[in-house]
Amino acid sequence: MPLVAPSILAADFSRLGDEVRKVSDAGADFIHIDVMDGCFVPNITIGPSMVKSLRSYSKLPFISHLMITHPERHVKAFADSGSDIIEIHIEAEQDVRETLKLIRSLGKKAGLAVNPPTPVDEVYPYLTEIDLLLIMSVNPGFGGQSFMPEVLPKIGLAKKEMAKRGVKVPVEIDGGINADTGELAARAGADILAAGTSVFKAPDMRRALDDLRACGSKD
Ligand code: DX5
Ligand code: ZN
């Protein structure tokens, strides 16, 4: 059964703390926080000070998904803000290895994200230096986009390579995830489902979380 990481990009920003508490009480496993700089992606969202102000609303692990051009410049601020897992994009302008090392040196878990157009084998050299692999199933920048099934084979390929290298790193998938696409992702091997619209726009949030968690166990 996959774990569920609601993406607060789809939440009501005018009362984000309450939304974080609500989804935590409804049974989420993580809080997925989308950070955008208007440069790496064509949208601007939130920074470390907002993450800090949300920290007291939930005991769940915070995943800060950094869709920013120079993550190495901001990793410490996100670590200090109370993020537990910091995800950087392999496509960002940085020394990937150094940034991953920096995240771990701050006592945090390091995640590496790969966009749909990027071949998954580009992350292979880093598999022993990460704690989470994030497969994007939409081009990053906005919530509410359609799921791209063509990325699903990346999960199995990455897991095969992990086995070859003797490592076991959980795989998160992010973008267009709902009960149907989550089913496909879970069957492809995804361990964590990041989902925004299908959780925060659902009439029954707890039901939506349960439906996502049931992915992969349907007959
Ligand atoms: C997109 C973000 C996703 C997005 C998911 O760039 O990284 O986390 O918010 O939202 P939905 O589930 O609505 O596609
Ligand atoms: Zn995200």
Side-chain angles (χ1 to χ4, degrees), residues 26-175:
D29 301 292
F30 301 89
I31 301 294
H32 183 99
I33 303 169
D34 291 306
V35 176
M36 302 178 184
D37 66 353
C39 187
F40 182 74
V41 289
N43 195 3
I44 297 175
T45 56
I46 56 179
S49 51
M50 176 59 94
V51 175
K52 193 170 186 167
S53 65
L54 294 173
R55 190 60 274 187
S56 62
Y57 286 85
S58 175
K59 289 193 171 51
L60 294 176
F62 277 12
I63 299 176
S64 287
H65 176 195
L66 306 189
M67 289 159 275
I68 64 179
T69 306
H70 289 288
E72 75 283 4
R73 296 179 187 168
H74 303 280
V75 157
K76 182 156 184 337
F78 281 97
D80 294 347
S81 71
S83 310
D84 301 281
I85 303 169
I86 299 174
E87 298 171 324
I88 60 168
H89 268 263
I90 193 166
E91 301 89 359
E93 292 170 25
Q94 67 193 326
D95 180 324
V96 174
R97 186 154 277 126
E98 284 307 310
T99 311
L100 293 171
K101 220 190 285 178
L102 174 60
I103 294 169
R104 283 182 160 180
S105 75
L106 295 162
K108 304 297 176 177
K109 290 194 168 162
L112 189 58
V114 56
N115 283 336
T118 306
V120 73
D121 59 12
E122 292 197 14
V123 304
Y124 292 174
Y126 308 104
L127 287 176
T128 55
E129 297 154 65
I130 61 174
D131 305 293
L132 189 62
L133 175 62
L134 174 60
I135 304 283
M136 292 302 300
S137 43
V138 295
N139 289 311
F142 301 94
Q145 300 183 77
S146 299
F147 178 78
M148 299 168 72
E150 58 267 39
V151 308
L152 286 171
K154 290 183 175 183
I155 302 172
L157 290 169
K159 290 210 166 193
K160 219 169 162 187
E161 189 65 25
M162 288 175 193
K164 252 198 243 163
R165 293 170 189 251
V167 292
K168 219 172 180 308
V169 176
V171 175
E172 180 185 14
I173 190 160
D174 183 21

Side-chain angles (χ1 to χ4, degrees), residues 6-11 142-145 175-178 194-203 208 212:
S7 157
I8 61 172
L9 188 63
F142 301 94
Q145 300 183 77
I177 294 292
N178 56 35
T197 309
S198 64
V199 172
F200 286 101
K201 307 298 182 201
L212 287 167

